[in-house]
Amino acid sequence: TRGYSSSKPPSPSQLAAERAATVDLIRDAATSGVSRFVLVSSIHVLGDALVGDVTDSTTPLPTTDYGRSRLELEREVEGQSLANSMTGIVLRMTNTFGVPAIVQPSTWDLLIHDLCRQAVTADRLVLHSNGSGYRNFLALSDAVNVITAVATHTVPSGTYLLAGPQTFQLREVAETVRIRAEHLLQKSLTVDVNTTDMARHQPFTVKGESLPALGIVMQSNFVGELDRLILAARQEFGEPSS
């Protein structure tokens, strides 16, 4: 099913339309004799459960309409897998970044994409928060490689985390973008956070062990993906300011 490239959450009507179409697809696949169905879900189904060590078996506690909608689709895959002779695989994917095949304006609203755009168009990387929040990021090329491996290897029915190797604080992400952008764009940058934001955040780490146990091991390409995205931002938004 589709993802949403904008930082703006999908509307209830968008979610309802996607959910209905995907449910029909899952049921048609199950009743038509499809042997395996892979649903790319989202870590947003976990919601308030994103605390401490997060594993493949962590119980979801979604807090958004998007997370609840994805969880419904996960349960549909599980139900159809149990009721029919179809292997049902759910991949709970974390936040991906990278250069998509088709770049839309809203693509640049996502956090790392926006920071790359700022690196090209300004001398400051500005976070709207205090930068202490936590997020797990996954290079798009790594996600594609794992999804391909899951689709072409024998993987039992179940739910699997598809996550990057490290969970970052947002300030760390901005600093990483700064370092790579200064190298690639040959300019000096600073990172600014919102000092009026007093929010505190619970740390978490994502430990997806089930896929590696099946021999599907991710080769992290975080820096390479980030470099390509910075260069794509330069191509999209012009030469860096001096």
Side-chain angles (χ1 to χ4, degrees):
T1 60
R2 63 161 292 179
Y4 293 92
S5 61
S6 173
S7 58
K8 181 180 178 181
S11 68
S13 60
Q14 285 178 308
L15 288 173
E18 180 197 45
R19 188 166 57 250
T22 307
V23 166
D24 286 345
L25 179 62
I26 296 167
R27 293 177 180 177
D28 287 347
T31 57
S32 299
V34 170
S35 61
R36 177 167 46 180
F37 193 99
V38 179
L39 174 74
V40 179
S41 186
S42 169
I43 199 172
H44 288 284
V45 303
L46 295 176
D48 283 344
L50 284 173
V51 178
D53 290 340
V54 178
T55 70
D56 300 273
S57 59
T58 295
T59 301
L61 295 171
T63 57
T64 64
D65 289 340
Y66 178 69
R68 286 185 283 270
S69 180
R70 286 286 168 172
L71 185 57
E72 287 185 32
L73 294 177
E74 290 187 10
R75 289 171 174 166
E76 183 68 34
V77 170
E78 181 182 7
Q80 292 299 326
S81 176
L82 291 172
N84 299 277
S85 56
M86 180 178 76
T87 299
I89 299 167
V90 172
L91 298 177
R92 284 183 182 155
M93 188 164 66
T94 58
N95 304 276
T96 58
F97 73 95
V99 183
I102 301 175
V103 179
Q104 301 175 350
S106 58
T107 300
W108 298 103
D109 295 338
L110 296 168
L111 177 68
I112 292 184
H113 296 71
D114 179 48
L115 290 171
C116 292
R117 172 173 56 186
Q118 290 184 54
V120 170
T121 61
D123 295 319
R124 299 186 304 152
L125 307 183
V126 179
L127 290 173
H128 299 297
S129 70
N130 60 20
S132 66
Y134 293 85
R135 200 172 295 181
N136 183 279
F137 287 101
L138 175 67
L140 186 59
S141 56
D142 292 335
V144 170
N145 289 338
V146 172
I147 292 169
T148 300
V150 168
T152 56
H153 289 69
T154 301
V155 177
S157 293
T159 299
Y160 303 87
L161 281 173
L162 175 49
Q166 182 178 352
T167 298
F168 298 89
Q169 283 192 293
L170 300 187
R171 176 62 186 257
E172 293 179 291
V173 175
E175 288 289 352
T176 302
V177 174
R178 179 189 65 79
I179 292 168
R180 296 309 304 164
E182 285 186 340
H183 171 71
L184 292 169
L185 304 178
Q186 296 296 296
K187 62 183 293 191
S188 295
L189 296 162
T190 60
V191 173
D192 294 344
V193 300
N194 181 359
T195 56
T196 65
D197 178 15
M198 296 292 107
R200 296 184 178 182
H201 304 272
Q202 292 283 347
F204 70 90
T205 57
V206 182
K207 297 184 177 181
E209 298 176 346
S210 297
L211 287 177
L214 295 171
I216 299 176
V217 180
M218 181 185 305
Q219 303 297 322
S220 177
N221 191 33
F222 187 96
V223 173
E225 193 81 57
L226 179 57
D227 285 356
R228 286 191 290 273
L229 186 58
I230 292 169
L231 295 176
R234 183 173 65 179
Q235 183 175 359
E236 182 76 12
F237 299 105
E239 291 298 319
S241 59
S242 59

